[in-house]
């Protein structure tokens, strides 16, 4: 995976825990903001958009925009509002629809 | 169900100050906030970060420390990590990782703060493009500084975030500022205000000085901003001084002011009016923060953009005014104690025209080109919205059902103002004639499982 955002960390390394992202193991700082931790780990494909099917990444980091949406243990959640826990099963939120809604 | 005299939504400066005043006056207070720790966005994580990297974030940030300490009070219950998804007569429905619940309150104070004004420009949906405020949040909460960033837009926050990144050892590539030369001239004409705003101007000049000394380039009077990249942003393109320029970067951080976050006040049924000054809808309230909906109050930037200090003061004022309305405080005491706060709040608010003149929103993002996405959730472009109006859509909700703009998960938080402006422009209607997007519960997502669990809890605990 191509590295995404480059982030410089000012904090001493927190203890890392293992999570699954799209079936692959990742080590993230326990208790950290999930969206920020994933960005720092080089992830920049979060939710997939309904029509174009392209990846979005966190935009607002404060629970407004829903672009950081992930399936966290099977439930769609704004990852910027979630804290890292060991063993989380994370997947990009898929919202692919048969579109467009031309008939409406 | 837990019952309180006052439930406050939002633990930023307004909410924290209101909680403290109300608790001191004898009210039983619930302070509900989505974040794990109090502070809001401006003082996000200040209780923790003040020790470790407070220096990089600056003195103003540390003003949040006493506010956070102030909510450590026996009469205040802090529901951290709880989002509010419904507000109905005297009841709030909350959701948290531990499940959903309801609390009852005699009064509700909405202190939901501001959001960054969305900035629809070409390419703003690419990964690597974020709000400048979002980068600041990552710094405050996680101690992570975005490297190799171009900051784009207008406003004091743009400069502040640039300085904070610089101090954190991640100097930005450049600032691409959209304010025009005439904006500075207009601000200079308000010299009386400038004298009164000395403290803020000094701070602002110090920020600019720090950036200059560090050699961070500032491109002024920029237009035609576009964010380019294949899978993620890698270039910021703009024109300045008649020349087209491109800067490579790993991130583009956008900012052109803040607007009230009104989803909760809308859901509570509070009437809103369009403010030309703020270029967004604002809830209607009196100078205490009382709205037209009985027992629903608003305070802070969620009511009117005034900045952190004004928010804190309006929180104190609302907290004591609510205590008065509920019979905990007599009028003379309320008036005596709030008079100084009101004076200082009004002083703070009187300075705002200076910021509005000096740092207006980026004009091209207020009227985006046809190919620019305005509704990020449903991927609807400004052109599709315009076409819907030409095809006969008469109001904002008509546009919503014919295009799906505003129908996505963010419920229009990111696009409502842009839709309103486009509909007004295209249809020659007045802004108060086109309606507003409705905010219906749940205003934040909640699972069916959490709803089912809530019912059981309500049945099981009648007495408290």
């Amino acid at each position: 995976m191509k590295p995404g955002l480059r982030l410089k960390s000012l904090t001493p390394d927190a203890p890392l825990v293992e999570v699954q992202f799209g079936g692959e193991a990742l080590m993230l700082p326990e208790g950290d903001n999930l969206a920020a931790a994933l960005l720092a780990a080089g992830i920049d494909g979060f939710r997939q958009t309904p029509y174009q099917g392209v990846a979005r990444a966190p935009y607002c980091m404060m629970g407004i925009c829903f672009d950081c949406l992930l399936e966290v243990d099977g439930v769609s959640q704004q990852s910027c509002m979630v804290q890292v826990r060991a063993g989380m099963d994370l997947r990009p939120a898929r919202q692919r629809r048969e579109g467009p809604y031309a008939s409406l | 169900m837990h019952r309180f005299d006052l439930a406050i939504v939002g633990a930023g400066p307004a909410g924290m100050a209101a909680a403290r005043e109300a608790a001191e006056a004898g009210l039983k207070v619930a302070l509900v906030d989505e974040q794990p720790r109090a502070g809001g966005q401006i003082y996000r994580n200040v209780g923790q970060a003040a020790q470790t990297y407070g220096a990089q974030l600056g003195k103003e940030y540390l003003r949040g420390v006493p506010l956070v300490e102030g909510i450590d009070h026996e009469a205040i219950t802090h529901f951290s990590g709880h989002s509010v998804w419904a507000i109905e007569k005297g009841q709030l429905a909350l959701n948290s990782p531990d499940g959903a619940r309801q609390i009852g309150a005699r009064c509700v104070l909405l202190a939901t703060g501001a959001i960054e004004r969305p900035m629809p420009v070409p390419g703003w949906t690419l990964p690597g493009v974020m709000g400048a405020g979002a980068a600041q949040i990552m710094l405050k909460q996680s101690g992570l500084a975005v490297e190799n960033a171009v900051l784009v837009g207008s406003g004091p926050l743009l400069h502040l975030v640039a300085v904070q990144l610089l101090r954190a050892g991640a100097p930005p590539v450049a600032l691409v500022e959209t304010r025009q030369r005439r904006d500075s001239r207009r601000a200079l004409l308000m010299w009386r205000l400038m004298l009164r705003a000395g403290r803020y101007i000094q701070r602002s000049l110090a920020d600019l000085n720090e950036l200059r000394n560090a050699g961070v380039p500032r491109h002024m009077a920029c237009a035609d901003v576009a964010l380019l990249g294949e899978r993620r942003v890698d270039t910021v393109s703009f024109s300045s001084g008649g020349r087209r320029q491109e800067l490579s970067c790993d991130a583009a951080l956008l900012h052109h002011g803040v607007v009230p976050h009104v989803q909760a006040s809308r859901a509570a049924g509070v009437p809103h009016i369009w403010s030309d000054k703020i270029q967004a809808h604002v809830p209607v309230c009196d100078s205490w923060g009382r709205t037209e909906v009985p027992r629903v109050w608003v305070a802070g930037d969620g009511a009117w953009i005034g900045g952190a200090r004004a928010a804190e003061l309006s929180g104190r004022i609302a907290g004591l005014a609510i205590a008065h309305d509920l019979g905990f405080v007599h009028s003379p005491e309320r008036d005596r104690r709030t008079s100084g706060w009101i004076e200082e709040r009004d002083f703070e608010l009187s300075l705002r025209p200076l910021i509005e003149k000096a740092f207006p929103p980026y004009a091209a993002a207020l009227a985006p080109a046809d190919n620019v996405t305005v509704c990020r959730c449903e991927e609807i472009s400004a052109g599709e919205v315009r076409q819907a109006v030409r095809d006969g859509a008469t109001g904002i909700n008509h546009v919503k059902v014919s295009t799906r703009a505003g129908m996505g998960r963010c419920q229009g938080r990111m696009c409502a103002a842009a839709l309103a402006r486009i509909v007004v422009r295209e249809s020659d209607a007045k802004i108060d004639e086109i309606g507003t997007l409705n905010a219906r519960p749940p205003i934040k997502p909640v699972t069916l499982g959490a709803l089912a669990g809530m019912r059981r809890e309500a049945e099981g605990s009648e007495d408290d």
Side-chain angles (χ1 to χ4, degrees), chain B residues 166-197:
Chain B
L166 177 66
R167 287 186 196 147
V173 175
L175 278 76
V176 171
E177 302 199 28
T178 55
R179 55 201 282 238
Q180 305 296 308
R181 289 180 215 296
R182 62 172 181 271
D183 300 328
S184 317
R185 279 202 299 273
R186 278 183 191 152
L188 282 171
L189 288 175
M190 308 173 93
W191 58 273
R192 277 197 194 85
L193 263 189
M194 292 193 65
L195 289 178
R196 291 163 67 189

Side-chain angles (χ1 to χ4, degrees), chain A residues 20-70:
Chain A
Q20 298 289 317
F21 185 87
E24 285 179 38
L26 271 182
M27 301 299 287
L28 301 180
E30 184 168 24
D32 196 5
N33 180 287
L34 177 59
L38 288 171
L39 286 171
I43 302 288
D44 66 8
F46 286 64
R47 81 169 174 114
Q48 274 194 340
T49 62
Y51 302 119
Q52 295 169 24
V54 297
R56 290 280 175 79
Y59 179 83
C60 78
M61 290 300 291
M62 54 184 280
I64 304 292
C65 76
F66 287 77
D67 271 332
C68 66
L69 207 65
L70 293 179

Side-chain angles (χ1 to χ4, degrees), chain B residues 377-445:
Chain B
C377 296
E378 297 289 321
E379 305 177 279
I380 309 297
S381 69
E384 288 171 87
V385 175
R386 291 193 178 101
Q387 186 59 47
V389 178
R390 284 196 291 271
D391 288 346
T394 52
I396 195 163
N397 283 296
H398 200 166
V399 165
K400 178 179 171 181
V401 293
S402 54
T403 64
R404 291 189 67 83
M407 210 182 274
R409 301 216 185 207
C410 90
Q411 300 186 331
R413 288 168 171 89
M414 297 295 288
C415 67
L419 296 181
R421 275 189 296 265
I422 293 174
V423 173
V424 163
R425 255 262 182 74
E426 290 296 310
S427 64
D428 259 341
K430 292 209 173 64
I431 195 120
D432 50 8
E433 295 167 353
I434 61 163
T436 54
L437 292 178
N438 299 313
R440 294 196 185 88
I443 57 172
K444 282 309 261 286

Side-chain angles (χ1 to χ4, degrees), chain B residues 128-143:
Chain B
V129 180
M130 308 178 86
Q136 196 191 38
I137 286 170
M138 287 207 288
L139 194 55
K140 290 172 182 171
Q141 172 146 333
S142 306

